[in-house]
Amino acid sequence: MGIASKPRLDWVDYAKGICIFAVVSMYSNNLTTELMGGSGWLQYWADFAKPFRMPDFFLLSGLFLGRVIHKNWRGYFDKKVVHYLYFFLLWTFINLLILFGENKLYGGDVYEFIQQLWRKSTSWPWKMMWFIQMLPAYFLFARITVRVPVVIILIVASVLQAFPQIVEAVVHAVPPLQGDRVLVDEFWKRYIFFYVGYIGAPYFFKFAEYIKNKVLFGVVGLVVWIAVNGSLVNMGLAEKPFVGLFLGIVGATAIITLGAIASNFRIARWISYLGKNSIVVYLAFYWPTKLAIDALAGVDILTRDLGTFCAIVTFIGVFAAIAAFWVVRESQYTRWLFERPKWLSVGSYEPKSAIASGKL
């Protein structure tokens, strides 16, 4: 199931660039709704993107797993588990520290802050940090079960994704598992997408290369997908058993199609750059987005159309995160925000930043 080493695939970066915009737009939509009582037309986009917004990220994260899953345990653990745990713990602390500084949570109580830090690190992560927590768990589980027949993993993962109440029943039946624990409650809801990316990587690679040369075919497929996804969302069927699984995989394939098509156009290169930096944006977009909403909420000409307002703050959040990375990467005293220090390596060290490989 391994994949021979190849040059960087540009369509992957384009697909991840599209993904990160979908994620930031969702948070912009939610924050605007929370702070201003509505979000305009962007709500339709948020609803449309929900079936595939995170599944496509997980599927793309699994695409390159075949290249490393059979390598030595120490190196694998370092690059696929410790690497993401570092950023998860670091940015959980940073986000909660900002809240503590604002005195909006914890009331300035250091003990309460420590309690919340423990809870957000071990049970229910702070906002978007759950994705960074889930990645090392998926990589670790995939390595542990690498010799389990593919068909068994597919069946188990598909059934548990379609019927999460099975997992919930187990959680409530086993006292040590009870409580708000995302890794227990949410693990199977998206593992199937990560695993499909892993086992289906050769086919996704071939499909993307085909679409790059058959743009019209790809556009027709996207039109059909938009109609099907939109219809099922509008009918309230998107989260029904196996429908959500279908829409997640098809939606991820549609994003790959978009990425492959976009890679043909030089004007879209900025999307590729965002894709290379996708995890940087994911880690750092939240506070710039929230600050932009707070700062622009009083500008009447912008708030007349909340959908456009949301789109503007989405762009601000994305590019402010990139700007922050440009600033901190120049100094050895701040580079650790996006680059794991050498002393935290448990394997052969490579100065791998959050974005050095461009892969989530």
Side-chain angles (χ1 to χ4, degrees):
M1 199 165 297
I3 302 169
S5 180
K6 297 180 180 179
R8 187 179 189 87
L9 299 171
D10 55 356
W11 61 264
V12 176
D13 294 327
Y14 283 92
K16 288 182 177 179
I18 295 167
C19 286
I20 198 63
F21 257 107
V23 171
V24 178
S25 67
M26 182 269 288
Y27 279 94
S28 297
N29 176 79
N30 292 348
L31 280 169
T32 302
T33 299
E34 176 185 337
L35 298 174
M36 303 181 67
S39 60
W41 55 263
L42 199 70
Q43 182 65 54
Y44 296 106
W45 159 247
D47 293 339
F48 177 84
K50 186 177 180 180
F52 62 88
R53 183 171 50 234
M54 294 314 298
D56 57 11
F57 250 135
F58 282 114
L59 189 146
L60 291 169
S61 298
L63 283 181
F64 296 92
L65 180 57
R67 297 182 178 181
V68 298
I69 196 167
H70 295 290
K71 292 188 176 181
N72 70 82
W73 252 107
R74 187 175 178 180
Y76 183 87
F77 188 75
D78 180 71
K79 293 177 176 61
K80 296 301 182 183
V81 179
V82 176
H83 181 70
Y84 293 105
L85 283 178
Y86 168 73
F87 290 110
F88 169 70
L89 294 173
L90 171 64
W91 281 86
T92 294
F93 177 80
I94 289 172
N95 286 315
L96 295 186
L97 189 64
I98 293 173
L99 284 174
F100 182 74
E102 285 188 326
N103 204 25
K104 289 185 177 180
L105 288 180
Y106 324 131
D109 187 330
V110 176
Y111 177 70
E112 176 65 16
F113 171 77
I114 294 172
Q115 281 189 315
Q116 288 295 328
L117 182 61
W118 172 256
R119 181 172 182 266
K120 299 299 184 183
S121 299
T122 60
S123 54
W124 193 266
W126 186 80
K127 296 188 181 297
M128 66 282 182
M129 296 307 299
W130 69 270
F131 174 73
I132 309 298
Q133 183 195 51
M134 199 67 70
L135 274 180
Y138 282 176
F139 281 117
L140 185 60
F141 184 78
R143 179 62 185 259
I144 292 172
T145 60
V146 69
R147 297 189 183 280
V148 177
V150 169
V151 66
I152 293 178
I153 298 292
L154 283 176
I155 291 173
V156 171
S158 298
V159 170
L160 294 182
Q161 191 278 336
F163 301 102
Q165 57 267 35
I166 297 175
V167 177
E168 293 172 7
V170 172
V171 169
H172 288 293
V174 182
L177 299 180
Q178 293 177 7
D180 290 335
R181 291 180 173 86
V182 169
L183 282 177
V184 177
D185 298 339
E186 302 285 320
F187 184 95
W188 290 104
K189 289 185 179 180
R190 297 174 183 87
Y191 183 75
I192 183 62
F193 304 110
F194 177 83
Y195 194 71
V196 165
Y198 162 47
I199 64 170
Y203 307 103
F204 286 116
F205 292 149
K206 290 178 181 178
F207 173 76
E209 292 303 317
Y210 176 80
I211 292 297
K212 286 183 69 173
N213 299 311
K214 302 288 183 180
V215 172
L216 181 59
F217 177 78
V219 171
V220 171
L222 288 173
V223 170
V224 174
W225 164 69
I226 289 171
V228 172
N229 187 84
S231 297
L232 291 173
V233 168
N234 289 335
M235 290 188 291
L237 301 176
E239 296 184 16
K240 297 295 182 181
F242 297 111
V243 177
L245 175 60
F246 167 77
L247 290 181
I249 294 176
V250 173
T253 305
I255 298 301
I256 290 174
T257 301
L258 275 171
I261 293 174
S263 67
N264 287 308
F265 302 96
R266 294 177 62 87
I267 195 173
R269 281 191 174 181
W270 62 276
I271 299 176
S272 173
Y273 182 80
L274 292 178
K276 292 176 184 177
N277 298 338
S278 57
I279 197 170
V280 163
V281 176
Y282 194 88
L283 290 171
F285 79 85
Y286 180 83
W287 292 106
T289 301
K290 186 176 184 301
L291 287 172
I293 294 173
D294 291 338
L296 300 177
V299 182
D300 182 64
I301 193 172
L302 294 178
T303 56
R304 291 175 186 175
D305 181 350
L306 288 181
T308 302
F309 178 86
C310 275
I312 291 171
V313 297
T314 295
F315 276 88
I316 291 175
V318 168
F319 291 105
I322 294 295
F325 171 69
W326 288 344
V327 171
V328 304
R329 69 180 178 179
E330 299 302 324
S331 171
Q332 61 177 327
Y333 300 108
T334 54
R335 196 176 299 151
W336 52 269
L337 286 166
F338 296 107
E339 182 178 299
R340 180 164 54 110
K342 182 177 181 178
W343 60 271
L344 283 174
S345 175
V346 298
S348 57
Y349 179 75
E350 296 175 15
K352 180 183 178 185
S353 73
I355 56 88
S357 69
K359 302 169 191 166
L360 278 171

Coordinates of all heavy atoms in Angstrom, one line a residue, residues 220-283:
V220 N -18.1 19.6 -15.3 CA -19.4 19.0 -15.4 C -19.7 18.2 -14.1 O -20.8 18.2 -13.5 CB -19.5 18.1 -16.6 CG1 -20.8 17.2 -16.5 CG2 -19.5 18.9 -17.9
G221 N -18.7 17.5 -13.6 CA -18.8 16.7 -12.4 C -19.1 17.6 -11.2 O -19.9 17.2 -10.3
L222 N -18.5 18.7 -11.1 CA -18.7 19.7 -10.0 C -20.1 20.2 -10.0 O -20.7 20.4 -9.0 CB -17.7 20.8 -10.1 CG -16.2 20.5 -9.7 CD1 -15.3 21.7 -10.0 CD2 -16.1 20.1 -8.3
V223 N -20.6 20.5 -11.2 CA -22.0 21.0 -11.3 C -23.0 19.9 -10.8 O -23.9 20.2 -10.0 CB -22.4 21.3 -12.8 CG1 -23.9 21.6 -12.9 CG2 -21.6 22.5 -13.2
V224 N -22.8 18.7 -11.2 CA -23.6 17.6 -10.7 C -23.5 17.4 -9.2 O -24.5 17.3 -8.4 CB -23.3 16.2 -11.4 CG1 -24.0 15.1 -10.7 CG2 -23.5 16.3 -12.9
W225 N -22.3 17.5 -8.7 CA -22.0 17.4 -7.2 C -22.7 18.5 -6.5 O -23.4 18.3 -5.4 CB -20.5 17.5 -6.9 CG -20.2 17.7 -5.5 CD1 -20.4 16.9 -4.4 CD2 -19.6 18.9 -5.0 NE1 -20.0 17.5 -3.3 CE2 -19.5 18.8 -3.6 CE3 -19.2 20.1 -5.6 CZ2 -19.0 19.8 -2.8 CZ3 -18.6 21.1 -4.7 CH2 -18.5 20.9 -3.4
I226 N -22.6 19.8 -7.0 CA -23.3 20.9 -6.3 C -24.8 20.7 -6.2 O -25.4 20.9 -5.1 CB -23.0 22.2 -7.1 CG1 -21.5 22.6 -6.9 CG2 -23.9 23.3 -6.6 CD1 -21.1 23.7 -7.8
A227 N -25.4 20.2 -7.2 CA -26.8 19.9 -7.2 C -27.2 18.8 -6.2 O -28.1 18.9 -5.5 CB -27.3 19.5 -8.6
V228 N -26.4 17.7 -6.2 CA -26.7 16.6 -5.3 C -26.5 17.0 -3.9 O -27.3 16.8 -3.0 CB -25.9 15.4 -5.7 CG1 -26.0 14.3 -4.7 CG2 -26.3 14.9 -7.1
N229 N -25.3 17.5 -3.6 CA -25.0 17.9 -2.2 C -26.0 19.0 -1.7 O -26.5 18.8 -0.6 CB -23.6 18.5 -2.2 CG -23.1 18.8 -0.7 OD1 -22.6 17.9 0.0 ND2 -23.2 20.0 -0.3
G230 N -26.3 20.0 -2.5 CA -27.2 21.0 -2.1 C -28.6 20.5 -1.8 O -29.3 20.9 -0.9
S231 N -29.1 19.6 -2.7 CA -30.4 19.0 -2.5 C -30.5 18.2 -1.3 O -31.5 18.3 -0.5 CB -30.7 18.1 -3.7 OG -30.8 18.9 -4.9
L232 N -29.5 17.3 -1.0 CA -29.6 16.5 0.2 C -29.5 17.3 1.5 O -30.1 17.0 2.5 CB -28.5 15.5 0.1 CG -28.6 14.4 -0.9 CD1 -27.4 13.5 -1.0 CD2 -29.9 13.5 -0.6
V233 N -28.7 18.4 1.4 CA -28.6 19.3 2.6 C -29.9 20.0 2.8 O -30.4 20.1 3.9 CB -27.5 20.4 2.4 CG1 -27.6 21.5 3.4 CG2 -26.1 19.7 2.4
N234 N -30.5 20.5 1.7 CA -31.8 21.2 1.9 C -32.9 20.3 2.3 O -33.9 20.8 3.0 CB -32.2 21.8 0.5 CG -31.3 23.0 0.1 OD1 -30.8 23.7 1.0 ND2 -31.2 23.3 -1.2
M235 N -32.9 19.0 2.0 CA -33.9 18.1 2.4 C -33.6 17.5 3.8 O -34.4 16.7 4.3 CB -34.0 16.9 1.4 CG -34.5 17.3 0.1 SD -34.8 15.8 -1.0 CE -33.1 15.3 -1.4
G236 N -32.5 18.0 4.4 CA -32.2 17.5 5.8 C -31.7 16.1 5.9 O -31.8 15.5 6.9
L237 N -31.2 15.6 4.8 CA -30.8 14.2 4.7 C -29.2 14.0 4.9 O -28.7 12.9 4.9 CB -31.2 13.5 3.4 CG -32.7 13.5 3.1 CD1 -33.0 13.0 1.7 CD2 -33.4 12.7 4.2
A238 N -28.5 15.1 4.9 CA -27.1 15.1 4.9 C -26.4 14.3 6.0 O -25.3 13.8 5.9 CB -26.5 16.5 4.8
E239 N -27.1 14.3 7.2 CA -26.5 13.6 8.3 C -27.2 12.2 8.6 O -26.9 11.7 9.7 CB -26.6 14.5 9.5 CG -25.8 15.8 9.4 CD -25.9 16.7 10.6 OE1 -26.2 16.2 11.7 OE2 -25.5 17.9 10.6
K240 N -28.0 11.8 7.7 CA -28.6 10.4 7.8 C -27.5 9.4 7.7 O -26.5 9.6 7.0 CB -29.7 10.2 6.8 CG -30.9 11.2 7.0 CD -31.6 10.9 8.3 CE -32.8 11.9 8.4 NZ -33.5 11.6 9.7
P241 N -27.7 8.2 8.3 CA -26.7 7.1 8.2 C -26.3 6.8 6.7 O -27.2 6.7 5.9 CB -27.5 5.9 8.8 CG -28.4 6.5 9.8 CD -28.9 7.8 9.1
F242 N -25.1 6.7 6.5 CA -24.4 6.5 5.2 C -24.6 7.6 4.2 O -23.8 7.7 3.3 CB -24.9 5.1 4.6 CG -24.5 4.0 5.5 CD1 -25.5 3.2 6.2 CD2 -23.2 3.6 5.7 CE1 -25.2 2.2 7.0 CE2 -22.9 2.5 6.4 CZ -23.8 1.8 7.1
V243 N -25.6 8.5 4.3 CA -25.7 9.6 3.4 C -24.5 10.6 3.7 O -23.9 11.1 2.8 CB -27.0 10.3 3.6 CG1 -27.1 11.6 2.7 CG2 -28.2 9.4 3.2
G244 N -24.3 10.8 5.0 CA -23.2 11.7 5.4 C -21.8 11.1 5.0 O -21.0 11.9 4.6
L245 N -21.7 9.8 5.1 CA -20.5 9.2 4.6 C -20.3 9.4 3.1 O -19.2 9.7 2.6 CB -20.5 7.7 4.9 CG -19.4 6.8 4.4 CD1 -18.1 7.3 5.0 CD2 -19.6 5.3 4.8
F246 N -21.4 9.2 2.4 CA -21.3 9.4 0.9 C -21.0 10.8 0.6 O -20.1 11.1 -0.3 CB -22.7 9.0 0.3 CG -22.9 9.4 -1.1 CD1 -22.3 8.7 -2.1 CD2 -23.7 10.5 -1.4 CE1 -22.5 9.1 -3.5 CE2 -23.9 11.0 -2.7 CZ -23.3 10.2 -3.7
L247 N -21.7 11.8 1.2 CA -21.4 13.2 0.9 C -20.0 13.6 1.3 O -19.4 14.5 0.7 CB -22.5 14.1 1.6 CG -23.9 14.0 1.0 CD1 -24.8 14.9 1.8 CD2 -23.9 14.3 -0.4
G248 N -19.5 13.0 2.4 CA -18.1 13.4 2.8 C -17.1 12.9 1.8 O -16.2 13.7 1.5
I249 N -17.2 11.7 1.4 CA -16.2 11.2 0.4 C -16.4 11.8 -1.0 O -15.4 12.2 -1.6 CB -16.3 9.6 0.3 CG1 -15.9 9.0 1.6 CG2 -15.4 9.1 -0.9 CD1 -16.1 7.5 1.6
V250 N -17.6 12.0 -1.4 CA -17.8 12.6 -2.7 C -17.4 14.1 -2.6 O -16.8 14.7 -3.6 CB -19.3 12.5 -3.1 CG1 -19.6 13.3 -4.4 CG2 -19.7 11.0 -3.4
G251 N -17.7 14.8 -1.5 CA -17.3 16.2 -1.3 C -15.8 16.3 -1.3 O -15.3 17.3 -1.9
A252 N -15.1 15.4 -0.7 CA -13.7 15.5 -0.7 C -13.1 15.3 -2.1 O -12.2 15.9 -2.5 CB -13.1 14.4 0.3
T253 N -13.7 14.4 -2.8 CA -13.3 14.2 -4.2 C -13.6 15.4 -5.1 O -12.8 15.8 -6.0 CB -14.1 13.0 -4.8 OG1 -13.9 11.8 -4.0 CG2 -13.6 12.7 -6.3
A254 N -14.7 16.1 -4.8 CA -15.0 17.4 -5.5 C -14.0 18.4 -5.2 O -13.6 19.2 -6.1 CB -16.4 17.9 -5.1
I255 N -13.5 18.5 -3.9 CA -12.5 19.5 -3.6 C -11.2 19.1 -4.3 O -10.4 20.0 -4.7 CB -12.2 19.5 -2.0 CG1 -13.5 20.0 -1.3 CG2 -11.1 20.4 -1.7 CD1 -14.0 21.4 -1.8
I256 N -10.8 17.8 -4.4 CA -9.7 17.4 -5.1 C -9.8 17.8 -6.6 O -8.9 18.3 -7.2 CB -9.5 15.9 -5.0 CG1 -9.0 15.5 -3.6 CG2 -8.5 15.4 -6.1 CD1 -8.9 14.0 -3.3
T257 N -11.0 17.7 -7.1 CA -11.3 18.1 -8.5 C -11.1 19.6 -8.7 O -10.4 20.1 -9.6 CB -12.8 17.8 -8.9 OG1 -13.0 16.4 -8.8 CG2 -13.1 18.2 -10.3
L258 N -11.6 20.4 -7.7 CA -11.4 21.9 -7.7 C -9.9 22.2 -7.7 O -9.4 23.1 -8.4 CB -12.1 22.5 -6.6 CG -13.6 22.9 -6.7 CD1 -14.2 23.3 -5.4 CD2 -13.7 24.0 -7.8
G259 N -9.2 21.5 -6.8 CA -7.7 21.7 -6.7 C -7.0 21.4 -7.9 O -6.1 22.1 -8.3
A260 N -7.4 20.3 -8.6 CA -6.7 19.9 -9.8 C -7.0 20.9 -10.9 O -6.1 21.3 -11.7 CB -7.2 18.5 -10.3
I261 N -8.2 21.4 -11.0 CA -8.5 22.4 -12.0 C -7.8 23.7 -11.8 O -7.2 24.3 -12.7 CB -10.1 22.6 -12.1 CG1 -10.8 21.4 -12.6 CG2 -10.4 23.8 -13.0 CD1 -12.3 21.4 -12.5
A262 N -7.8 24.1 -10.5 CA -7.2 25.4 -10.1 C -5.7 25.4 -10.4 O -5.1 26.4 -10.7 CB -7.5 25.7 -8.6
S263 N -5.1 24.2 -10.3 CA -3.6 24.1 -10.5 C -3.2 24.5 -11.9 O -2.0 24.6 -12.2 CB -3.1 22.8 -10.1 OG -3.6 21.8 -11.0
N264 N -4.2 24.5 -12.8 CA -3.9 24.9 -14.2 C -3.8 26.4 -14.4 O -3.4 26.8 -15.5 CB -5.0 24.3 -15.1 CG -4.9 22.8 -15.3 OD1 -3.8 22.3 -15.6 ND2 -6.0 22.1 -15.1
F265 N -4.1 27.2 -13.4 CA -4.2 28.6 -13.6 C -3.3 29.3 -12.7 O -3.4 29.2 -11.4 CB -5.7 29.1 -13.4 CG -6.7 28.4 -14.3 CD1 -7.4 27.3 -13.8 CD2 -6.9 28.9 -15.6 CE1 -8.3 26.7 -14.7 CE2 -7.8 28.3 -16.4 CZ -8.5 27.2 -16.0
R266 N -2.3 30.1 -13.2 CA -1.3 30.8 -12.4 C -2.0 31.8 -11.5 O -1.5 32.1 -10.4 CB -0.4 31.5 -13.4 CG 0.5 30.6 -14.2 CD 1.4 31.4 -15.1 NE 2.3 32.3 -14.4 CZ 3.5 31.9 -14.0 NH1 3.9 30.7 -14.2 NH2 4.3 32.8 -13.4
I267 N -3.1 32.4 -11.9 CA -3.8 33.4 -11.1 C -4.2 32.8 -9.7 O -4.5 33.6 -8.8 CB -5.0 34.0 -11.8 CG1 -5.4 35.3 -11.2 CG2 -6.1 33.0 -11.9 CD1 -6.5 36.1 -11.9
A268 N -4.3 31.5 -9.6 CA -4.8 30.9 -8.4 C -3.7 30.4 -7.5 O -3.9 29.7 -6.5 CB -5.7 29.7 -8.7
R269 N -2.5 30.8 -7.8 CA -1.3 30.3 -7.0 C -1.4 30.7 -5.5 O -0.8 30.0 -4.7 CB 0.0 30.8 -7.6 CG 0.4 30.0 -8.9 CD 1.8 30.4 -9.3 NE 2.3 29.5 -10.4 CZ 3.5 29.6 -10.9 NH1 4.3 30.5 -10.5 NH2 3.8 28.8 -11.9
W270 N -2.0 31.8 -5.2 CA -2.1 32.2 -3.8 C -2.9 31.1 -3.0 O -2.7 30.9 -1.8 CB -2.8 33.6 -3.7 CG -4.2 33.6 -4.2 CD1 -4.6 33.8 -5.5 CD2 -5.4 33.5 -3.5 NE1 -6.0 33.8 -5.6 CE2 -6.5 33.6 -4.4 CE3 -5.7 33.3 -2.1 CZ2 -7.8 33.5 -4.0 CZ3 -7.0 33.2 -1.7 CH2 -8.1 33.3 -2.7
I271 N -3.9 30.4 -3.7 CA -4.6 29.4 -3.0 C -3.6 28.2 -2.7 O -3.7 27.6 -1.6 CB -5.7 28.9 -3.9 CG1 -6.7 30.0 -4.2 CG2 -6.5 27.7 -3.2 CD1 -7.9 29.6 -5.1
S272 N -2.7 27.9 -3.6 CA -1.7 26.9 -3.4 C -0.8 27.3 -2.2 O -0.5 26.4 -1.3 CB -0.9 26.7 -4.6 OG 0.2 25.8 -4.4
Y273 N -0.5 28.5 -2.1 CA 0.4 29.0 -1.0 C -0.3 28.8 0.4 O 0.3 28.3 1.3 CB 0.8 30.4 -1.1 CG 1.7 30.9 -0.1 CD1 3.0 30.7 -0.1 CD2 1.2 31.7 1.0 CE1 3.9 31.1 0.9 CE2 2.0 32.1 2.0 CZ 3.4 31.8 2.0 OH 4.2 32.2 3.0
L274 N -1.6 29.1 0.4 CA -2.4 28.9 1.6 C -2.5 27.4 1.9 O -2.5 27.0 3.1 CB -3.8 29.5 1.4 CG -3.9 31.0 1.3 CD1 -5.4 31.4 1.1 CD2 -3.3 31.6 2.6
G275 N -2.6 26.6 0.9 CA -2.6 25.1 1.1 C -1.3 24.6 1.8 O -1.3 23.8 2.7
K276 N -0.2 25.1 1.3 CA 1.1 24.8 1.9 C 1.2 25.2 3.3 O 1.8 24.5 4.2 CB 2.3 25.4 1.1 CG 2.4 24.9 -0.3 CD 3.5 25.7 -1.0 CE 3.7 25.2 -2.5 NZ 4.7 26.0 -3.2
N277 N 0.5 26.3 3.7 CA 0.5 26.8 5.0 C -0.8 26.6 5.8 O -1.1 27.3 6.7 CB 0.7 28.4 4.9 CG 2.0 28.7 4.3 OD1 3.0 27.9 4.3 ND2 2.1 29.9 3.8
S278 N -1.5 25.6 5.3 CA -2.8 25.3 5.9 C -2.9 25.2 7.4 O -3.7 25.7 8.1 CB -3.5 24.2 5.2 OG -2.7 23.0 5.4
I279 N -1.9 24.5 7.9 CA -2.0 24.2 9.4 C -1.6 25.5 10.2 O -2.1 25.7 11.3 CB -1.1 23.0 9.8 CG1 -1.5 22.6 11.2 CG2 0.4 23.4 9.8 CD1 -0.8 21.3 11.6
V280 N -0.7 26.3 9.6 CA -0.4 27.6 10.2 C -1.7 28.5 10.3 O -2.0 29.1 11.3 CB 0.6 28.4 9.4 CG1 0.7 29.9 9.7 CG2 2.0 27.8 9.6
V281 N -2.4 28.5 9.2 CA -3.7 29.3 9.2 C -4.7 28.7 10.2 O -5.3 29.4 11.0 CB -4.3 29.3 7.8 CG1 -5.7 30.0 7.8 CG2 -3.4 29.9 6.8
Y282 N -4.7 27.4 10.2 CA -5.7 26.7 11.1 C -5.4 27.0 12.6 O -6.3 27.3 13.4 CB -5.6 25.2 10.9 CG -6.7 24.4 11.6 CD1 -7.9 24.2 10.9 CD2 -6.6 23.9 12.8 CE1 -9.0 23.5 11.5 CE2 -7.7 23.3 13.5 CZ -8.9 23.1 12.8 OH -9.9 22.4 13.3
L283 N -4.1 27.1 12.9 CA -3.7 27.4 14.3 C -3.9 28.9 14.7 O -4.2 29.1 15.8 CB -2.2 27.0 14.5 CG -1.8 25.6 14.5 CD1 -0.3 25.4 14.5 CD2 -2.4 24.8 15.7

